[in-house]
Amino acid sequence: MYKGMRFLAIIPARGGSKSIPKKNIKDLIDKPLIVWSIQAAKKSKYLDRIIVSTDDEEIKNVSLDYGAEVPFLRPQELAKDDTPSSEAIYYTMKKLIDDANEKFEYLILLQPTSPLRDEKHIDNAIEMLLEKKEQFDSLVSVTELEHPVYWNRVIGSRQELNSFLEYDKDKLFRRQDFEKTFRLNGAIYLIEVGIFMKYKSFETDSTMAFFMDRISSTDIDTKDDFEIAEFYLRNKTLTKRINNREI
């Protein structure tokens, strides 16, 4: 469909995890967590290569077993708790471009902690950005906040509640009165390679929002998240009804 264009997927998965040890290769139902993202990428109509960026031999072996590429391990200094994903992605891209003389038009980042993001989301995101490439140079997936951000509060030193953001409480008090607000869900980041290599970021002044429902936006960070994701994956009919707001 997009003749002459090459699309690269990178799945970043470091070995260290404070919340859940070996989180990225912990089983979710019948396969390691990272495999859900690898298989979604492999089912995409557009992705030419799927590379896992990791510092860990176990993650490397699991990724290779399920059909992803791990051409090299990333350095330990790019696998720390405070290392931005963009730094690891930039390192991977630089190696591919400089050492292997690879050329791709678009780069998509798929976090392994988003197991309910599937190939349809990936392909729809690519098609949406390419249709509007004259207006946008990147795309980031988002989901609607369940409650208005204005309802958030901060707690002061005396345990008193203070508004996080000021608003007219006399006019805005029902949820439907507020403007909808959204958060990044971490599932999909898509950008022109040249733009990413220049700015080392997936967000620019011309970034497009790709909307995903809250269930598909499930992000794995805790043991409870694993159980929630498993429930959704095992109960697809119920999940569809929830997404369609039938219950």
Side-chain angles (χ1 to χ4, degrees):
M1 183 175 179
Y2 301 112
K3 190 175 181 180
M5 288 189 178
R6 297 189 73 212
F7 297 85
L8 169 68
I10 296 181
I11 302 173
R14 67 186 185 88
S17 174
K18 286 187 175 180
S19 56
I20 304 174
K22 299 183 181 295
K23 176 174 67 177
N24 289 313
I25 52 176
K26 175 180 169 63
D27 277 353
L28 174 60
I29 304 182
D30 60 346
K31 53 199 169 193
L33 176 61
I34 192 173
V35 174
W36 290 89
S37 291
I38 291 173
Q39 291 183 338
K42 286 175 68 66
K43 291 176 183 176
S44 167
K45 296 184 291 186
Y46 303 114
L47 299 180
D48 295 283
R49 289 184 69 183
I50 302 157
I51 290 177
V52 170
S53 168
T54 185
D55 62 308
D56 186 89
E57 286 286 350
E58 285 188 84
I59 293 175
K60 173 185 174 179
N61 292 334
V62 169
S63 300
L64 292 173
D65 287 344
Y66 284 89
E69 298 180 54
V70 188
F72 42 79
L73 294 178
R74 74 167 96 149
Q76 288 299 315
E77 61 265 26
L78 293 178
K80 298 178 181 178
D81 290 337
D82 58 352
T83 302
S85 293
S86 58
E87 291 292 336
I89 301 303
Y90 182 82
Y91 171 83
T92 302
M93 289 303 305
K94 199 88 168 65
K95 289 274 288 182
L96 291 171
I97 293 170
D98 293 349
D99 296 353
N101 199 29
E102 289 278 5
K103 179 174 173 58
F104 297 94
E105 278 65 43
Y106 282 88
L107 162 66
I108 186 167
L109 165 62
L110 303 173
Q111 300 278 16
T113 49
S114 298
L116 283 93
R117 172 251 298 112
D118 61 22
E119 70 276 8
K120 293 178 182 177
H121 294 117
I122 294 170
D123 289 346
N124 289 342
I126 290 172
E127 290 166 1
M128 188 176 292
L129 180 59
L130 268 291
E131 286 172 7
K132 297 189 176 183
K133 64 179 181 178
E134 301 303 321
Q135 303 174 51
F136 300 98
D137 47 40
S138 70
L139 172 151
V140 173
S141 58
V142 300
T143 193
E144 184 180 349
L145 287 173
E146 186 176 2
H147 301 294
V149 68
Y150 299 95
W151 286 1
N152 289 343
R153 298 289 185 266
V154 292
I155 300 175
S157 59
R158 298 179 293 106
Q159 292 295 108
E160 77 276 13
L161 282 177
N162 298 309
S163 294
F164 177 65
L165 293 174
E166 294 297 330
Y167 64 97
D168 191 337
K169 297 179 178 64
D170 294 328
K171 294 182 179 179
L172 301 172
F173 50 89
R174 300 179 307 161
R175 182 171 62 183
Q176 54 266 41
D177 294 332
F178 290 87
E179 183 179 9
K180 290 183 178 181
T181 51
F182 302 82
R183 64 171 177 83
L184 304 184
N185 67 2
I188 296 174
Y189 297 83
L190 175 63
I191 192 169
E192 287 186 52
V193 169
I195 299 294
F196 177 79
M197 296 305 290
K198 181 177 181 180
Y199 296 106
K200 291 188 184 181
S201 174
F202 286 88
E203 287 189 77
T204 72
D205 293 334
S206 301
T207 296
M208 182 181 192
F210 178 72
F211 303 104
M212 290 176 59
D213 63 81
R214 63 185 179 90
I215 291 177
S216 298
S217 299
T218 299
D219 181 66
I220 304 293
D221 186 50
T222 66
K223 291 180 180 179
D224 289 344
D225 294 333
F226 266 94
E227 294 180 6
I228 291 168
E230 180 172 342
F231 172 82
Y232 288 146
L233 289 165
R234 289 189 185 278
N235 298 274
K236 292 186 177 180
T237 300
L238 178 60
T239 296
K240 185 176 181 181
R241 290 179 61 198
I242 294 173
N243 278 334
N244 292 334
R245 307 289 176 118
E246 293 178 19
I247 57 176

